[in-house]
Amino acid sequence: MLRSLFLGAICCCLLGQIAVAQETAQKKSPPRPNIIIMMADDLGFSDIGCYGGEIETPNLDALAAGGIRFTQFYNTARCCPTRAALLTGLYQHQAGIGHMVGDYGVPAYQGYLREQSVTIAEALRPAGYNTLAVGKWHVGSQKGKWPLDRGFDKFFGTPSGGGFYFKESLDFRKLFVTLGNDEVPFPDEAYCTDLFTDYALKFIDESTEQEKPFFLYFAHIAPHWPLQAKPEDIDKYREKYTAGWDAMRKARFAKQREIGLADEAWQLSRRDMMSKPWNEMSAEQQEDLALRMAVYAAQVDSIDQNVGRLVEKLKANGAWENTVFMFLSDNGCSAEGGLTGFRRGNQAAEIGTPTTYASAGLGWANACDTPLRKFKMSTHEGGIATPLVVHWPAGISRRGEWEKQVGHVIDLMPTCLELAEAKYPETRAEQPTFPLAGKSLVSAFEGGTFSRDPIFWEHEGNRAVRAGDFKLVGPRGRPWQLYNLSLDRSETNNLADDHPEKVRTLAAAWDSWAQEVGVLPWPARQAAQRLNQSQP
């Protein structure tokens, strides 16, 4: 009897220990993930295959199939402001880059990151992360404002703007690349998308050797003009676009409906008023324009090829399963150069080669943002909507699903903080930091919901605010327009006259926000001068 009681007590004790061990194991957090944010430059909403495009992007498509895609994710409509908002979790005016990198003499438009703003790198490095940056910086062009000054351990790329792919175009723009803070030669035969990836792979290897998690901010120049690509990539698309932009828009929209991106309520936006039917272009123009789009497609294709290289490296280093990979664009496709694009540089050489300097133009930009309205710099959906592909095998069980909650680049800083278990600093440079404007998206990765405050936009006098399904948008110098995006994502049915109270409420919210963050009337430079002259 005593023996039975003794054995029973031992069994109970062992079972209790096992239960405690199991509970402890369940509570133990998985290793903090590596984080990669890869951003394309001037990529259209529908350019990659998993968002409806015909360009070959098998590696990005595979990431989408193994993770999630956001249907309603936003940027700020332009390169510098988006980078500032992404890196800091603040609206661009709060971060100091209300327009571009020119210093207008007021804090919201000083052209580089403010002291009270914290970058993702500055927040993650104290949490034990290696902080790596590759590509285009463009949030502070002067020395002393570069990545190593804002929390990054390593950097290779251009501290200022992009606009180059080969050494010839780098020299044409009188730009340079740096390794850390030191200017280094651009290799004679290099192509920048490949070269950036070379350094990204090198930095990842070095981080792996240190056995530390890493944060990699990889900001491509592609597919921003100039149209320049490797000959073999251009050749893949030479005959792809001879049918023109009208045919491309229809094909992409049909695919978007097929893959579940565009629901039945969506309509294909009207051809932009500054565009023309393809069949009204001359045969010579059609030939030129088809080549321009072929080169643009080749630039996007090259991004995808290098995504493949990055994936291979992560798998080889055993980091694939626990790496969060996020891919997006800084704004909609560029319409710069007007309907048929501009052409500079060597006029005798074929567009796409290293000595030429050309853009794709408005007609193609309208198609690259299918089915949305407008393009880069506009606060209509075509200017501010971006793909967002998120892949994380160890942390996201959803495969190939669409995430329909609304997100914005200001959300990426708080997302990284949660992923890295890092704290947002209360002070920086002995000054209180600005409170974060964004929300963490981590709960959405697994299908959970999160609260969403209204989101605001301003760029060059173009304004917008979105609250729930309603979006108020005001092109510069024109009255407010109102759209219900749940029914009309392409902004074809202006409801302003039907809902005047909604217009007044949202306009008042925008005015309050604009005053809070320091928005100035456009043109901001002149407004800043008047403001400074009026002060004693």
Side-chain angles (χ1 to χ4, degrees):
M1 181 68 177
L2 289 174
R3 184 182 180 190
S4 297
L5 290 171
F6 178 71
L7 290 174
I10 291 176
C11 288
C12 288
C13 182
L14 289 173
L15 288 171
Q17 290 176 343
I18 292 171
V20 170
Q22 288 176 337
E23 184 178 357
T24 301
Q26 289 172 355
K27 289 182 178 179
K28 185 178 180 181
S29 300
R32 293 177 299 162
N34 304 306
I35 304 169
I36 297 175
I37 296 178
M38 178 180 285
M39 185 161 63
D41 195 334
D42 288 5
L43 181 82
F45 180 72
S46 62
D47 279 334
I48 59 177
C50 55
Y51 276 78
E54 71 294 321
I55 301 171
E56 295 180 23
T57 56
N59 295 295
L60 287 168
D61 297 348
L63 292 179
I68 59 173
R69 288 163 287 177
F70 279 71
T71 63
Q72 300 185 91
F73 197 81
Y74 290 108
N75 49 51
T76 74
R78 192 78 177 270
C79 52
C80 303
T82 288
R83 291 158 211 278
L86 185 158
L87 286 166
T88 65
L90 306 172
Y91 284 106
Q92 63 269 31
H93 308 81
Q94 295 172 298
I97 304 182
H99 184 221
M100 299 290 278
V101 291
D103 188 347
Y104 300 167
V106 294
Y109 294 84
Q110 67 183 27
Y112 56 91
L113 298 178
R114 293 173 71 176
E115 294 292 347
Q116 301 100 312
S117 67
V118 177
T119 68
I120 297 174
E122 288 171 324
L124 266 57
R125 186 159 66 176
Y129 273 70
N130 280 332
T131 53
L132 319 171
V134 174
K136 177 178 173 179
W137 180 240
H138 218 197
V139 286
S141 298
Q142 299 301 315
K143 201 162 189 178
K145 314 295 184 186
W146 293 355
L148 268 59
D149 304 300
R150 297 302 309 225
F152 285 95
D153 297 314
K154 299 179 185 293
F155 171 67
F156 176 80
T158 173
S160 53
F164 66 89
Y165 291 91
F166 297 101
K167 189 176 187 301
E168 291 88 340
S169 54
L170 184 85
D171 294 341
F172 181 78
R173 287 291 305 276
K174 296 181 172 57
L175 296 173
F176 58 91
V177 294
T178 66
L179 179 59
N181 285 330
D182 300 319
E183 185 174 343
V184 294
F186 191 91
D188 288 343
E189 303 302 320
Y191 185 68
C192 80
T193 307
D194 299 334
L195 185 63
F196 289 164
T197 305
D198 293 342
Y199 276 89
L201 302 183
K202 179 177 183 293
F203 291 168
I204 289 173
D205 275 340
E206 292 169 352
S207 185
T208 301
E209 291 172 2
Q210 295 176 28
E211 298 184 347
K212 293 174 64 177
F214 65 81
F215 165 64
L216 170 62
Y217 172 58
F218 193 156
H220 280 289
I221 286 174
H224 192 294
W225 46 263
L227 297 170
Q228 295 179 353
K230 293 173 288 186
E232 61 272 24
D233 292 338
I234 298 173
D235 288 343
K236 291 171 64 175
Y237 298 96
R238 279 189 182 273
E239 305 302 320
K240 191 79 172 177
Y241 297 101
T242 56
W245 47 59
D246 293 321
M248 188 173 104
R249 292 183 79 222
K250 291 177 182 177
R252 287 192 177 190
F253 188 49
K255 183 177 177 182
Q256 288 172 331
R257 282 190 161 170
E258 178 185 335
I259 63 178
L261 171 58
D263 62 37
E264 290 303 315
W266 292 23
Q267 298 296 317
L268 180 61
S269 63
R270 301 178 186 93
R271 184 192 303 109
D272 191 81
M273 62 185 299
M274 293 186 289
S275 187
K276 288 184 178 180
W278 180 256
N279 60 18
E280 290 185 10
M281 311 304 293
S282 68
E284 183 179 0
Q285 287 175 319
Q286 289 182 358
E287 182 179 359
D288 174 75
L289 288 164
L291 174 61
R292 289 176 188 245
M293 185 60 201
V295 181
Y296 177 91
Q299 293 172 209
V300 177
D301 190 309
S302 182
I303 291 176
D304 188 78
Q305 294 172 38
N306 283 283
V307 168
R309 294 176 62 200
L310 198 56
V311 169
E312 288 177 4
K313 173 60 69 175
L314 293 171
K315 289 180 176 178
N317 287 7
W320 172 245
E321 291 292 321
N322 201 30
T323 294
V324 182
F325 196 121
M326 293 177 270
F327 177 86
L328 72 159
S329 179
D330 63 346
N331 44 248
C333 190
S334 169
E336 290 158 288
L339 178 60
T340 58
F342 63 72
R343 176 161 188 178
R344 306 167 193 155
N346 186 348
Q347 299 293 312
E350 183 178 69
I351 285 177
T353 53
T355 60
T356 62
Y357 207 92
S359 69
L362 183 147
W364 288 123
N366 189 195
C368 290
D369 287 329
T370 298
L372 307 177
R373 184 175 173 186
K374 291 296 181 180
F375 16 73
K376 176 182 178 180
M377 301 187 215
S378 170
T379 50
H380 280 293
E381 292 291 282
I384 59 176
T386 170
L388 177 66
V389 177
V390 185
H391 183 275
W392 181 20
I396 298 177
S397 62
R398 301 161 74 190
R399 298 289 182 264
E401 293 185 24
W402 294 104
E403 174 53 59
K404 296 185 178 181
Q405 294 184 89
V406 176
H408 188 282
V409 289
I410 56 174
D411 299 332
L412 296 184
M413 160 67 107
T415 299
C416 289
L417 290 174
E418 182 172 349
L419 291 169
E421 300 173 16
K423 293 182 179 180
Y424 183 68
E426 295 181 357
T427 61
R428 187 189 180 280
E430 301 181 351
Q431 299 182 57
T433 54
F434 293 125
L436 289 172
K439 304 280 188 181
S440 174
L441 301 173
V442 173
S443 63
F445 291 173
E446 272 299 297
T449 59
F450 66 99
S451 62
R452 171 89 272 167
D453 297 328
I455 306 173
F456 302 92
W457 292 265
E458 188 279 333
H459 182 69
E460 295 189 353
N462 298 307
R463 305 150 291 154
V465 52
R466 176 168 179 170
D469 290 331
F470 280 94
K471 178 186 172 188
L472 193 68
V473 57
R476 182 172 66 239
R478 295 171 59 189
W480 287 109
Q481 304 165 20
L482 181 69
Y483 300 98
N484 183 340
L485 297 187
S486 66
L487 303 174
D488 183 22
R489 184 72 190 282
S490 301
E491 299 171 308
T492 59
N493 184 23
N494 182 6
L495 302 174
D497 290 341
D498 299 330
H499 300 279
E501 186 58 36
K502 177 71 72 174
V503 171
R504 283 192 291 271
T505 300
L506 291 177
W510 188 91
D511 288 339
S512 177
W513 167 82
Q515 184 175 6
E516 177 186 348
V517 302
V519 172
L520 292 178
W522 186 256
R525 185 187 295 273
Q526 286 86 330
Q529 289 173 347
R530 292 192 299 270
L531 181 65
N532 289 328
Q533 290 168 0
S534 67
Q535 294 177 349

PDB file of all heavy atoms in Angstrom, residues 94 223 386 437 443 490 513 527:
ATOM      1  N   GLN A  94       6.459  65.525 -40.383  1.00  0.00           N
ATOM      2  CA  GLN A  94       6.999  65.374 -39.033  1.00  0.00           C
ATOM      3  C   GLN A  94       8.468  64.966 -39.083  1.00  0.00           C
ATOM      4  O   GLN A  94       9.271  65.391 -38.250  1.00  0.00           O
ATOM      5  CB  GLN A  94       6.218  64.312 -38.263  1.00  0.00           C
ATOM      6  CG  GLN A  94       4.767  64.643 -37.998  1.00  0.00           C
ATOM      7  CD  GLN A  94       4.035  63.453 -37.401  1.00  0.00           C
ATOM      8  OE1 GLN A  94       3.915  62.402 -38.027  1.00  0.00           O
ATOM      9  NE2 GLN A  94       3.533  63.614 -36.181  1.00  0.00           N
ATOM     10  N   PRO A 223      12.279  50.498 -60.872  1.00  0.00           N
ATOM     11  CA  PRO A 223      12.443  50.795 -62.297  1.00  0.00           C
ATOM     12  C   PRO A 223      12.363  52.284 -62.654  1.00  0.00           C
ATOM     13  O   PRO A 223      11.898  52.644 -63.723  1.00  0.00           O
ATOM     14  CB  PRO A 223      11.273  50.042 -62.924  1.00  0.00           C
ATOM     15  CG  PRO A 223      10.179  50.166 -61.890  1.00  0.00           C
ATOM     16  CD  PRO A 223      10.882  50.116 -60.554  1.00  0.00           C
ATOM     17  N   THR A 386       0.330  50.879 -53.352  1.00  0.00           N
ATOM     18  CA  THR A 386       1.473  50.043 -53.682  1.00  0.00           C
ATOM     19  C   THR A 386       1.169  48.580 -53.380  1.00  0.00           C
ATOM     20  O   THR A 386       0.394  48.280 -52.466  1.00  0.00           O
ATOM     21  CB  THR A 386       2.715  50.442 -52.862  1.00  0.00           C
ATOM     22  OG1 THR A 386       3.767  49.452 -53.038  1.00  0.00           O
ATOM     23  CG2 THR A 386       2.419  50.523 -51.380  1.00  0.00           C
ATOM     24  N   ALA A 437       3.174  57.600 -35.648  1.00  0.00           N
ATOM     25  CA  ALA A 437       1.895  57.832 -36.327  1.00  0.00           C
ATOM     26  C   ALA A 437       1.271  56.532 -36.819  1.00  0.00           C
ATOM     27  O   ALA A 437       0.062  56.481 -37.065  1.00  0.00           O
ATOM     28  CB  ALA A 437       2.092  58.784 -37.505  1.00  0.00           C
ATOM     29  N   SER A 443      -0.396  41.713 -36.201  1.00  0.00           N
ATOM     30  CA  SER A 443      -1.631  40.951 -35.987  1.00  0.00           C
ATOM     31  C   SER A 443      -2.316  40.621 -37.309  1.00  0.00           C
ATOM     32  O   SER A 443      -2.937  39.558 -37.454  1.00  0.00           O
ATOM     33  CB  SER A 443      -2.593  41.728 -35.087  1.00  0.00           C
ATOM     34  OG  SER A 443      -2.992  42.946 -35.696  1.00  0.00           O
ATOM     35  N   SER A 490     -11.396  52.657 -58.026  1.00  0.00           N
ATOM     36  CA  SER A 490     -10.791  53.389 -59.143  1.00  0.00           C
ATOM     37  C   SER A 490     -11.224  54.847 -59.192  1.00  0.00           C
ATOM     38  O   SER A 490     -10.869  55.560 -60.130  1.00  0.00           O
ATOM     39  CB  SER A 490     -11.139  52.697 -60.472  1.00  0.00           C
ATOM     40  OG  SER A 490     -10.678  51.362 -60.472  1.00  0.00           O
ATOM     41  N   TRP A 513      -4.934  68.008 -39.172  1.00  0.00           N
ATOM     42  CA  TRP A 513      -3.696  67.239 -39.346  1.00  0.00           C
ATOM     43  C   TRP A 513      -2.615  68.086 -40.006  1.00  0.00           C
ATOM     44  O   TRP A 513      -1.451  68.085 -39.569  1.00  0.00           O
ATOM     45  CB  TRP A 513      -3.978  65.995 -40.188  1.00  0.00           C
ATOM     46  CG  TRP A 513      -2.732  65.307 -40.670  1.00  0.00           C
ATOM     47  CD1 TRP A 513      -1.955  64.428 -39.966  1.00  0.00           C
ATOM     48  CD2 TRP A 513      -2.100  65.463 -41.949  1.00  0.00           C
ATOM     49  NE1 TRP A 513      -0.886  64.028 -40.738  1.00  0.00           N
ATOM     50  CE2 TRP A 513      -0.951  64.644 -41.954  1.00  0.00           C
ATOM     51  CE3 TRP A 513      -2.401  66.203 -43.092  1.00  0.00           C
ATOM     52  CZ2 TRP A 513      -0.105  64.557 -43.063  1.00  0.00           C
ATOM     53  CZ3 TRP A 513      -1.563  66.130 -44.185  1.00  0.00           C
ATOM     54  CH2 TRP A 513      -0.425  65.309 -44.176  1.00  0.00           C
ATOM     55  N   ALA A 527       6.163  79.664 -49.557  1.00  0.00           N
ATOM     56  CA  ALA A 527       5.411  79.794 -48.311  1.00  0.00           C
ATOM     57  C   ALA A 527       6.351  79.845 -47.110  1.00  0.00           C
ATOM     58  O   ALA A 527       6.124  80.610 -46.155  1.00  0.00           O
ATOM     59  CB  ALA A 527       4.421  78.645 -48.172  1.00  0.00           C
TER      60      ALA A 527
END
